Structures are given as C-alpha cells and as structure tokens.
Amino acid sequence: MQRDKHAPLSGGGRKRILILRHSRSVRVMHWVNVLTLGIMLMSGLQIFNAHPSLYWGKSSDFSHRLLHMEAVEGAHGHTEGVTRVGGHTFVTTGLFGWSRGSDGTYTERGFPVWATLPGSTWLAMGRLWHLFFAWILVLNGAAYLLIGILSGHLRRDLLPTGADLRSLGHTFVEHVRLRFPKGDEARRYNGIQKLSYLFIVFIVGPLMVLTGLTMSPTMDAGFPWLLDVFDGRQSARTIHFLGAMCLLAFVLVHLVMVIVSGLRNNLRSMITGRYAIEVEQVVAKGAEHE
Amino acid sequence: MSKPIDARRRRLILGLGAGAGSLLLGGCERISSDPDTQRVLGSAQWLTRAAQRALVSRDALAPQYSLSDIAPVFRANGTTDPNNPVYQGYARNQFRDWRLQVDGLVENPKEFSLDALRALRAHTQITRHDCVEGWSCIGQWTGAQLRDVLAIVLPRPQARYAMFFCADPMDGGSNYYESIDLRTAAHPQTLLAYALNGETLPVAYGAPLRLRLGRQLGYKMAKYVMHIQLVDSYRSFGGGQGGYWEDQGYAWYAGI
C-alpha cells in the first residue's frame, strides 16, 4: 500500500494518482477465495438439502427442529413450500421447500436449484465438491495467515488503530450515506472494514473449520472436546450453517460496497493492484519533472 | 499509459473471470457429470483419510453416551424390509437357520449361527449413528467384536479388506454390499451387532446382524449381513468402488 505510481489524470487543485493497494499474493488469494467460497457455499447447500433441518444438541430430535424446510399440502390442494423456524411457519414456495427442479417441474427440496452445486439433488457430488475444496480453502487461508503475519499485512493494514475505533460511528454514518473517502484516507482500510475482515478471518473462518471437523465421526473420536465446545454434533452442524449464512451476508455486503464505492477502481485494484486516489496538487518543484 | 502487456493481461484476466463464471453458473451440471471431475474431486478422500490417520490414534474410541441420550425413536434408514424370499424365510423362523459365512483370504473359513455369535464375548456401547444426510441418532448396540470373529477365522497376510455381502436387494438388481479396511475391522467399536437398545435387532435395523462402526458414516454399516469375505482388493466386486453407495459416487472413506 505504500508504493505510489504517479498518473496525473485530472487537472485543477486535485489530481488522481494510482497507488499499489493490494500485493500480488493478496490478489491471488482473493480470487482463489472467490472461486472456493462460492463452491463451498453452493455445495454446502446441496449437502444441507439432503436433510433440510437443523437441531441443537448431540443428536437429531425429530420432534424438535430449529429449522425445517418441507413441502406440504396447502389450501385448495396446492402443494406449498414451507420453512419452519422455531414456532413460526413461513410459506416459501418457489424458494425453500418446494421449487422448480433442474427439469423444470416442482419438487420438494430445501434450497432452490440455482443455489446448490450441483443444481440437481445429488448429495454424493455435493460432498465431493465440498470435501475437495475444503482443503483448498484451508490451504488458502493458512497461506493468507502466514503471509499476512510475515509481511506485516495483518498488523499494518488490518489491525485497527485507536483513531479507527474512535471514528467508527462517523465511518458508519458515512457508509450509510454512501460517501466514501477518496483522498489520503482511501490509502487505508477504515475501522469498519478492518473489524469486518478480522471478524471473518479470525472468528467465522476458524468456527467454520472447527464445526466442520466436529461433524466428522473420526475427528470426534480423536478430539472429543470438539463436541463439548459446540454442545454436540447437531449443534455444530447448526453453527456451521449459521456461519455459512454469515459468510454469505459478508459477501453480499462486500459486493454492494465494491459496487457503490467505485466498481472499476475496486476491481482494478484487486486485479492489477493499482487503486486510484485523489490528492492535493503538490506545488513543490520536484514533482513537476517526473 | 496502458502498455500492450497490460492489454494482454487484461484480456487474460477477463477470460479467466468469464471462465470461472461460466463454470459456476452454466457448466456445473456438466462438470459434475464428468468422470474425470469425479475422480479428481474424489481423490481428496485419501488425503482426508491420511490426515485423520495421522491425527487420530488407531484405537481412539468414538464418544459413548448415557442411557438418557438414547433416541426415543431411532430412525430406520435405507432398506427396512428386504424384498428377498430367502431372507424372509430366515426371518419367519427367527433366523434359527441363518448362518453368517466368513471366508476369503482366511486360514479357517467358518459359518456362524446367531447363537455362536452370541456366545462370543458381548460388547454393549451407546454410540451415535451419523447419517451421510446430516442427522444423528444415539442408540445402544450389542454385538460381537469383528476382531474376535477374525481371530477365529485367521486372516492371511494378503487380506486387506473385509467385504460385507447383504440380503437386501437394491436398485439395479444386486444386493447391498460394503467394505472396510482391516484397521477399521480391528477397532474395538467395530461390532457385528445383534441387539439394539437391549432388544433383539429388529428387521428394520438390519436383523439378524448388522455392522456397527464407531468412526464412520451410516452407509458403511451394512445391514442384513450374510457373508463376510476377506480380500486383497474390492475392485472386482459390484461397480468396483467398494460398496453399493460408493458405486453411486459416495466416498469409500466415510470418516468425515
């Protein structure tokens, strides 16, 4: 984030310069993550669809489900998709419980065709995708941590400063107004960005790995404390699902932010590394001769 | 300021992006159906198995639960009443004429009656059954350790896997079958179970005898076991993948 490439693009009192925002390793790992996380999310929903219910505790008490998606006979003999959460029932036809299968006809399934990998109901294949790319995701994550610590990226760019924390409220208001820094402040992540990245990297990421491993019967034999930490295999499965929803929410907000804060600039910075910011025209003589 | 190298790089990157996009949106189904994809993705199971072998000791026990954890209704999955006249004949007679055949790469092939299996040291454990679909049920299982049975038939050094051939006919005409390696066969929680929750094993749960493993998923635990054969490779049986569900694309290693 420190090397400047001068590119006088605009006149007047301010000029645009390109700074190196993302190192090559961060860019590569980011795009590996995009592919891997997409596959993990969609194949995870395929696996969820094999039993679209969630429970708390050691085992599945089929009479006490936290979440349940199914097709039921509704009024007037029509089949409806319903989603039951706690004591509430929502009609979710077309989305959850009852939606068009890959052949176009309605079928009972948790998440719809467009959300799962593969699209059709195919648990075996969903597991193959999920348990292959789980390795890629973990290796990518480990590389990110290692490089992030060794290069100082985590400490320099993600550790919030006191000023970051004090201005969280202000930053939030600016975000809601869709006003984003363009000048020198844009050289750094703001407090909200830093905290959300840290939350994903150090809380949600490890939680997903650990709850995933807790669902493995062999891991439970070797590391029974996993079951104590998460209050049982079915709780771990529920937390894994909630973690996935959390990651999905993060990705959606991230995408919105990428678009509203300058799609071209953001995309370029994650592809070539170069990010444009606006700085005051420097009047010092040396700068003119570059 | 855009140098040619940048233009080329941009095209390459756009191409890669478009490729990844079409992979995710359009080609998922086709890619999933490709045998090479399945082979590559499926190979991760051997890495997973190696990692779990390195992390989890050979005899580490699956967690045991208390009586109060036993599921009031244990879900019966897969076949619940084999459509097989020979099997039904055994069932009508409370399996008095049923015999478990144990042979293959062993010194001493042998047939066991249900009483002969019950005469071996009985082991009772309250363990969790994890279905590949995602649900879990806790039950109390009683049976003979498979390793005690193997100690009687004496596996030969070439034996690497135990095959389980079952009485329940499946889609496609052949019967259910499974295979485990001898490391799993020797685990203390690997039982040939003949009782569930203190009762003679009901037909829906695999009477008269089913395999119970502590550390793998439910589909490995063959029900209605008729015949155990020790082999050096499972490739020549069924579809060659080691089990009925494995032949449908499920991983042979079901420890995760």
Side-chain angles (χ1 to χ4, degrees):
Chain A
M1 275 202 176
Q2 57 280 78
R3 227 187 323 150
D4 285 6
K5 279 213 175 143
H6 291 240
L9 298 176
S10 65
R14 297 172 72 81
K15 68 169 180 177
R16 264 178 94 212
I17 60 166
L18 289 172
I19 60 165
L20 181 71
R21 185 179 175 86
H22 301 296
S23 67
R24 184 189 301 258
S25 57
V26 163
R27 284 177 274 145
V28 168
M29 291 186 290
H30 171 269
W31 292 111
V32 170
N33 233 5
V34 169
L35 180 72
T36 311
L37 207 56
I39 288 174
M40 289 302 279
L41 203 56
M42 294 176 70
S43 59
L45 294 179
Q46 168 72 243
I47 295 170
F48 172 85
N49 271 6
H51 188 72
S53 293
L54 295 175
Y55 311 85
W56 197 263
K58 303 164 192 165
S59 58
S60 305
D61 179 349
F62 300 112
S63 53
H64 291 94
R65 304 180 197 231
L66 300 178
L67 173 78
H68 184 40
M69 297 173 182
E70 62 175 339
V72 296
E73 202 65 32
H76 320 298
H78 293 301
T79 308
E80 285 179 337
V82 295
T83 303
R84 305 183 202 280
V85 186
H88 305 278
T89 299
F90 305 92
V91 176
T92 50
T93 306
L95 198 55
F96 308 132
W98 183 248
S99 58
R100 283 186 198 277
S102 36
D103 62 353
T105 60
Y106 273 83
T107 172
E108 181 169 24
R109 49 182 295 143
F111 283 85
V113 160
W114 51 262
T116 66
L117 175 67
S120 56
T121 302
W122 193 353
L123 172 61
M125 207 56 217
R127 281 174 54 82
L128 290 190
W129 281 110
H130 204 72
L131 297 174
F132 181 93
F133 276 90
W135 279 105
I136 309 281
L137 193 64
V138 164
L139 291 177
N140 199 45
Y144 175 82
L145 283 181
L146 199 68
I147 295 174
I149 290 167
L150 292 181
S151 72
H153 167 59
L154 288 178
R155 178 176 40 76
R156 192 177 58 238
D157 302 325
L158 288 183
L159 195 67
T161 63
D164 285 334
L165 297 176
R166 279 190 296 278
S167 59
L168 277 180
H170 171 73
T171 309
F172 181 77
V173 171
E174 292 290 286
H175 270 66
V176 171
R177 288 177 177 163
L178 301 184
R179 290 211 306 238
F180 302 98
K182 291 199 165 17
D184 260 339
E185 291 167 71
R187 289 175 185 270
R188 293 170 287 277
Y189 290 144
N190 61 59
I192 293 181
Q193 274 178 303
K194 288 181 179 176
L195 289 180
S196 20
Y197 291 143
L198 289 176
F199 177 67
I200 294 298
V201 169
F202 288 101
I203 308 280
V204 183
L207 207 58
M208 292 306 281
V209 173
L210 290 175
T211 50
L213 291 175
T214 308
M215 283 187 270
S216 150
T218 296
M219 294 305 284
D220 288 347
F223 306 90
W225 54 265
L226 284 169
L227 292 164
D228 299 330
V229 168
F230 296 114
D231 203 24
R233 179 178 193 256
Q234 288 300 318
S235 307
R237 182 169 176 265
T238 296
I239 298 169
H240 198 73
F241 179 86
L242 294 176
M245 292 303 112
C246 194
L247 284 173
L248 177 63
F250 169 81
V251 168
L252 292 179
V253 172
H254 174 70
L255 288 177
V256 169
M257 286 297 139
V258 164
I259 292 167
V260 297
S261 69
L263 179 62
R264 272 184 69 92
N265 201 14
N266 284 317
L267 269 182
R268 184 186 47 232
S269 75
M270 199 41 95
I271 293 170
T272 69
R274 277 165 287 178
Y275 186 74
I277 60 170
E278 289 173 4
V279 291
E280 294 298 325
Q281 193 75 266
V282 187
V283 279
K285 273 188 179 166
E288 308 290 344
H289 299 294
E290 253 186 87
Chain B
M1 64 163 284
S2 155
K3 290 166 266 174
I5 184 97
D6 281 352
R8 246 186 308 161
R9 195 190 252 196
R10 187 171 301 157
R11 271 203 305 278
L12 174 74
I13 286 161
L14 285 175
L16 285 176
S22 68
L23 182 150
L24 273 178
L25 293 173
C28 289
E29 214 75 12
R30 256 198 327 278
I31 288 173
S32 290
S33 303
D34 178 41
D36 289 330
T37 307
Q38 295 177 8
R39 198 164 43 244
V40 170
L41 294 180
S43 65
Q45 68 179 293
W46 309 118
L47 179 60
T48 304
R49 181 170 75 150
Q52 294 198 333
R53 279 190 173 195
L55 288 171
V56 180
S57 76
R58 182 181 285 261
D59 280 347
L61 294 178
Q64 314 242 11
Y65 295 88
S66 65
L67 283 166
S68 61
D69 293 324
I70 292 176
V73 182
F74 196 100
R75 177 170 283 207
N77 212 34
T79 308
T80 49
D81 190 11
N83 181 22
N84 172 350
V86 177
Y87 173 84
Q88 287 167 354
Y90 289 130
R92 270 194 297 278
N93 198 19
Q94 277 76 51
F95 301 102
R96 273 191 285 271
D97 303 325
W98 172 93
R99 295 289 180 277
L100 173 71
Q101 192 186 333
V102 187
D103 57 19
L105 295 173
V106 299
E107 298 297 341
N108 180 27
K110 197 171 155 58
E111 287 191 344
F112 294 82
S113 68
L114 209 44
D115 283 340
L117 291 168
R118 288 197 184 107
L120 297 174
R121 193 148 53 98
H123 293 262
T124 294
Q125 64 195 28
I126 302 175
T127 45
R128 205 184 61 218
H129 180 97
D130 298 326
C131 179
V132 67
E133 292 169 0
W135 51 267
S136 310
C137 278
I138 292 170
Q140 184 190 51
W141 300 90
T142 303
Q145 282 178 335
L146 178 57
R147 64 185 187 187
D148 283 352
V149 171
L150 293 185
I152 294 170
V153 299
L154 301 172
R156 294 203 184 129
Q158 317 85 291
R160 293 185 58 205
Y161 301 96
M163 309 284 308
F164 298 81
F165 299 102
C166 307
D168 46 334
M170 304 300 289
D171 290 345
S174 55
N175 285 10
Y176 201 91
Y177 77 105
E178 256 304 340
S179 60
I180 59 174
D181 55 26
L182 289 194
R183 180 185 162 112
T184 304
H187 189 271
Q189 285 172 319
T190 298
L191 299 186
L192 296 172
Y194 43 70
L196 170 61
N197 298 336
E199 313 261 342
T200 302
L201 191 62
V203 168
Y205 300 95
L209 195 71
R210 81 169 299 171
L211 180 63
R212 277 293 309 167
L213 308 175
R215 313 196 321 193
Q216 298 211 36
L217 298 175
Y219 66 86
K220 295 298 285 188
M221 305 183 209
K223 295 154 82 171
Y224 317 108
V225 177
M226 304 289 282
H227 175 197
I228 301 174
Q229 185 180 351
L230 270 64
V231 298
D232 60 355
S233 163
Y234 51 71
R235 292 292 174 198
S236 57
F237 300 94
Q241 301 303 310
Y244 173 77
W245 286 113
E246 287 85 336
D247 289 340
Q248 322 294 317
Y250 287 84
W252 183 86
Y253 180 67
I256 188 159

